[in-house]
Amino acid sequence: MALVVQKYGGSSVATPELIRKVAARVVARHRAGDQMVVVISAMGDTTDDLVTLAGRVSPKPVDREMDMLLASGERISMALLAMAIQDLGPRAVSMTGAQSGIITDAVHRNARVVALRPERVLAELGRGTIVVVAGFQGVTADGEETTLGRGGSNLTAVALAHALNADVCEMNTDVDGIFTADPRLVPEARQLAFVSPDEMLELASSGARVLQSRSVEFARNYGVVICVRSSFNQNPGTLIKETADMEKVVVRGIAHDVSDAKVTVRHVADRPGIAARLFGALAERNVNVDIILQNTSEAGAVDVSFTVKEGDLGKALETCQAIRQEIGATEVLADSEVAKVAVVGIGMRSHPGVAATAFAALADAGVNIEMISTSEIKIACVVRRADVERAVRALHQAFHLDQAT
Ligand code: ASP
Ligand code: MG
């Protein structure tokens, strides 16, 4: 008997029929002898629809009320799934984030898990009950409802898998697993059997949309093994786990992200403390900055460019404008026609020349590189958004990712 935490994404529970299918899948596993905790996302595009709805009522809704609103999406699906399971025979009970013991800090819309108290979940499992948990939400020690950031049902699943010491944390989704690149862009992309946690973290934060990066980080920190697989078949999927010969593969995959935007602050004074002031102000407003580029000084001034999520562009521009005179800048420019492509693989640590190969491939494809950032296991480039497909294909080919290793 294994203790299984399964998460189903929004597209897997988008309709009543799909909810009944998920119920049948869960019940089959339960009948085979496993203890089941099922973390569920909101149906289909419910969360997006709720965000839109709020925008039609209020131009700047308060984060606390947004959490009250958004948490309701997962509560609809948890109750419906519990009903569908009960109809098939087994005992089932649905629980909110609070009832399942997900305790968070008070940062609304992006709360962090601070404690896990899954006593009620454990008690129900002990009675042979299938426990259905509303993903994406928690509660503060003071009883305030919070949400865990977009894609946060993944984090709920990983956190519960850790707290319950589950045997496996399965992410059931609308794709078969993790691929060497997005198969919609690269038809010859291959599904990977294994991806290391470090690689998955870089892939997720570089735009691979299958897993929320915070959940990958949590899983890596606490040693939770994640399996990404399809809700619609029984294929084994991809395991996020270290294997012995991982470093033999130089590049595991290519990720891309078209949700970035670039800000350029022109003619900033070239003296100590300016970068601290600029990026300090952005941090204060909770704007996450990704890649930063500063050119060489000319006549005591430099241009500073950085990328942010497109959704944060408004806040980033406001912040820069507010301190523009103080840091001696002449103007602040925005560019949302950018995209990021990233080459990821832990084998890079011990294989030189990966950057050169990547840059040559982009050059041959006629793709101009606007910014570069690297880590030990990643090379990321900012390019024109119109070039992103060509860039991903060129990189996939240059590293022979279509060929099995
Ligand atoms: N429903 C939330 C979202 O769409 C959480 C999730 O699906 O994981 O972001
Ligand atoms: Mg969703």
Side-chain angles (χ1 to χ4, degrees):
M1 181 176 75
L3 200 171
V4 179
V5 174
Q6 280 191 335
K7 176 250 173 183
Y8 289 90
S11 54
S12 304
V13 292
T15 65
E17 294 69 38
L18 285 169
I19 290 177
R20 287 204 301 266
K21 277 195 184 149
V22 167
R25 193 176 156 102
V26 170
V27 169
R29 190 80 172 255
H30 180 74
R31 293 222 162 103
D34 290 333
Q35 290 185 301
M36 301 298 293
V37 175
V38 186
V39 175
I40 202 89
S41 287
M43 294 171 72
D45 297 328
T46 300
T47 309
D48 289 331
D49 295 344
L50 290 172
V51 171
T52 308
L53 184 61
R56 291 176 59 190
V57 170
S58 164
K60 267 196 178 171
V62 170
D63 285 344
R64 178 192 185 272
E65 300 309 328
M66 282 305 287
D67 274 355
M68 294 299 265
L69 178 69
L70 297 184
S72 68
E74 270 69 10
R75 295 185 179 193
I76 294 173
S77 44
M78 73 171 186
L80 294 174
L81 181 63
M83 294 171 197
I85 292 173
Q86 288 156 4
D87 286 340
L88 298 174
R91 280 171 57 95
V93 63
S94 66
M95 291 190 194
T96 63
Q99 289 172 324
S100 59
I102 312 275
I103 315 298
T104 73
D105 65 15
V107 180
H108 285 290
R109 301 198 71 176
N110 204 15
R112 297 203 149 258
V113 175
V114 295
L116 295 159
R117 304 201 183 107
E119 286 78 20
R120 288 186 69 177
V121 177
L122 280 167
E124 289 294 346
L125 286 175
R127 287 184 203 112
T129 312
I130 298 174
V131 182
V132 181
V133 176
F136 176 52
Q137 56 188 275
V139 68
T140 68
D142 299 333
E144 283 291 312
E145 299 285 334
T146 53
T147 62
L148 310 177
R150 294 306 305 267
S153 299
N154 287 294
L155 185 58
T156 305
V158 171
L160 280 176
H162 164 61
L164 299 168
N165 201 10
D167 295 285
V168 63
C169 179
E170 266 185 22
M171 305 299 189
N172 293 265
T173 180
D174 51 9
V175 293
D176 276 347
I178 306 297
F179 283 71
T180 50
D182 186 336
R184 284 168 300 187
L185 261 58
V186 186
E188 56 282 5
R190 279 180 312 109
Q191 194 200 315
L192 295 159
F194 296 96
V195 176
S196 87
D198 285 336
E199 289 169 336
M200 194 62 233
L201 198 53
E202 292 283 18
L203 288 167
S205 61
S206 304
R209 273 158 297 271
V210 183
L211 288 175
Q212 180 211 35
S213 39
R214 282 183 54 198
S215 69
V216 182
E217 200 173 356
F218 193 105
R220 186 190 59 175
N221 293 350
Y222 292 99
V224 176
V225 175
I226 295 177
C227 172
V228 178
R229 59 187 301 195
S230 167
S231 302
F232 308 116
N233 61 43
Q234 298 295 334
N235 297 347
T238 301
L239 280 179
I240 314 302
K241 171 183 181 176
E242 220 82 54
T243 63
D245 56 355
M246 283 225 127
E247 299 209 16
K248 279 197 197 140
V249 176
V250 182
V251 170
R252 187 82 48 197
I254 314 292
H256 73 283
D257 198 340
V258 293
S259 66
D260 289 347
K262 183 168 87 172
V263 177
T264 301
V265 188
R266 299 217 49 208
H267 295 279
V268 181
D270 186 17
R271 58 182 150 81
I274 295 290
R277 179 71 184 102
L278 174 59
F279 293 103
L282 290 162
E284 238 164 67
R285 302 235 13 222
N286 267 322
V287 175
N288 260 320
V289 172
D290 185 17
I291 303 181
I292 301 173
L293 184 80
Q294 176 178 314
N295 67 3
T296 47
S297 175
E298 231 176 88
V302 295
D303 289 350
V304 177
S305 297
F306 57 89
T307 61
V308 295
K309 285 281 150 249
E310 210 171 1
D312 280 343
L313 183 58
K315 262 206 279 183
L317 291 175
E318 264 173 47
T319 310
C320 294
Q321 284 297 356
I323 60 163
R324 185 177 63 82
Q325 287 186 319
E326 187 191 329
I327 60 174
T330 54
E331 58 181 333
V332 181
L333 306 171
D335 180 354
S336 27
E337 281 310 304
V338 296
K340 185 169 70 178
V341 287
V343 176
V344 174
I346 55 173
M348 259 181 230
R349 287 182 187 137
S350 47
H351 292 78
V354 177
T357 306
F359 299 154
L362 292 176
D364 288 345
V367 175
N368 187 41
I369 302 169
E370 299 186 11
M371 296 166 108
I372 299 168
S373 114
T374 62
S375 79
E376 247 195 317
I377 64 164
K378 178 192 73 177
I379 296 153
C381 300
V382 174
V383 301
R384 285 288 99 201
R385 201 169 281 181
D387 288 344
V388 72
E389 290 202 27
R390 245 180 325 132
V392 174
R393 286 200 197 110
L395 293 169
H396 197 267
Q397 212 175 11
F399 292 103
H400 311 293
L401 293 175
D402 53 335
Q403 290 154 32
T405 38

